[in-house]
Amino acid sequence: MHIRRSHDEIAANRARYEEHQRQGLNATPKALPGKSDKPAASIAEDRIIHREIIPGGWYWSTRVKANEVLRISLDQGLSTLSLIAWNAADTTERLNLPDTVKVQWTTGLAKGRVIFSDMGRVMFSIVEDSCGAHDVLVGGSTASSNAKKYAGANGPALRNTRDNFVLLATKAGLDKRDIPAALALFAPVRVDADGKFHWKPELVQQGDYVDLRADMDMIVGFSNCPHPLDPNPVYAPNPVTVTRIEASAPSADDLCRTATPEAVRGFENNAFAAL
């Protein structure tokens, strides 16, 4: 049954929402850390569990354990790498970008922020980030978007993120319905006052990197395909390096765990689920 609400009720609900938003924004640090320094700090060889170079157009998946770090780096030129993830112990729990945005009152993911699951738990902490230009709104490419964007090219030969993730999920024993919305790393998408998306290439440079700490055991999938808004008319994604780094326990004053009340609650949910 459809319930028709009065203008006064709608206005009251909006006022409560805006007050809740104001409190949330006021509780957030006025300034999270700036961008991470470049070049990225070197990694001791004995701490590297695995290093994978994902060719342009291809995909890769890996299992990670809690407190391991994934360094994703643009060592060979610019490219957008899309990411999805599932809880390794229960794949019905998965990456949830809408909740990540709503809970933290921002679409800007950068150093000090966290990424939530659909169970209100923290999946990743962004412990280092040299660019802060990542897309949580548009999503990855599809066969249709490739066909429109690369007119006249050999469509079937141009791999896309949606099909890559279907293959990846199938190999993990999952279905395409299990694929969550993808986080696009190194995708400099910005939204103007009119709600229009814009691609800002100056925000990403070769040598940029992101360090994502896993905050639970996970299956993580990647797809290295051009972003739908990337204006380059040539399909030419560069290889992206993903380095899996040995786990080390975060400190008690770990930035991502303490920066915001929302993150604190998320980590409390992680601890409760582990009991």
Side-chain angles (χ1 to χ4, degrees), residues 129-176:
D129 184 0
S130 68
C131 72
H134 314 296
D135 171 38
V136 298
L137 300 173
V138 178
S141 60
T142 64
S144 176
S145 69
N146 275 358
K148 293 177 182 178
K149 185 175 176 183
Y150 305 107
N154 184 4
L158 303 182
R159 303 180 68 93
N160 67 83
T161 288
R162 176 62 181 173
D163 288 344
N164 277 351
F165 282 155
V166 169
L167 291 171
L168 185 152
T170 301
K171 291 180 179 180
L174 301 169
D175 188 85
K176 62 183 179 181

Side-chain angles (χ1 to χ4, degrees), residues 52-171:
E52 186 77 16
I53 298 177
I54 307 174
W58 288 87
Y59 65 93
W60 179 66
S61 66
T62 186
R63 287 180 177 263
V64 297
K65 295 183 180 299
N67 294 330
E68 291 179 353
V69 170
L70 292 172
R71 173 170 293 175
I72 301 119
S73 50
L74 299 182
D75 300 333
Q76 301 185 51
L78 303 184
S79 205
T80 291
L81 191 70
S82 297
L83 176 153
I84 55 176
W86 298 270
N87 178 344
D90 179 3
T91 54
T92 63
E93 181 178 12
R94 62 201 63 167
L95 184 78
N96 190 303
L97 293 181
D99 284 355
T100 295
V101 169
K102 289 186 292 184
V103 169
Q104 296 179 105
W105 304 101
T106 182
T107 60
L109 295 186
K111 183 177 178 179
R113 292 291 186 183
V114 298
I115 302 171
F116 284 89
S117 77
D118 55 6
M119 299 296 288
R121 303 203 298 148
V122 178
M123 300 192 87
F124 293 103
S125 294
I126 306 175
V127 294
E128 298 292 347
D129 184 0
S130 68
C131 72
H134 314 296
D135 171 38
V136 298
L137 300 173
V138 178
S141 60
T142 64
S144 176
S145 69
N146 275 358
K148 293 177 182 178
K149 185 175 176 183
Y150 305 107
N154 184 4
L158 303 182
R159 303 180 68 93
N160 67 83
T161 288
R162 176 62 181 173
D163 288 344
N164 277 351
F165 282 155
V166 169
L167 291 171
L168 185 152
T170 301
K171 291 180 179 180

Side-chain angles (χ1 to χ4, degrees), residues 211-225:
D211 284 2
L212 300 179
R213 183 183 64 219
D215 290 299
M216 63 175 70
D217 294 355
M218 287 183 287
I219 303 168
V220 184
F222 300 95
S223 172
N224 183 10
C225 293

Side-chain angles (χ1 to χ4, degrees), residues 187-203:
V189 175
R190 291 295 182 262
V191 184
D192 66 20
D194 295 323
K196 295 180 180 178
F197 294 114
H198 297 275
W199 187 262
K200 300 288 187 178
E202 67 275 11
L203 300 179

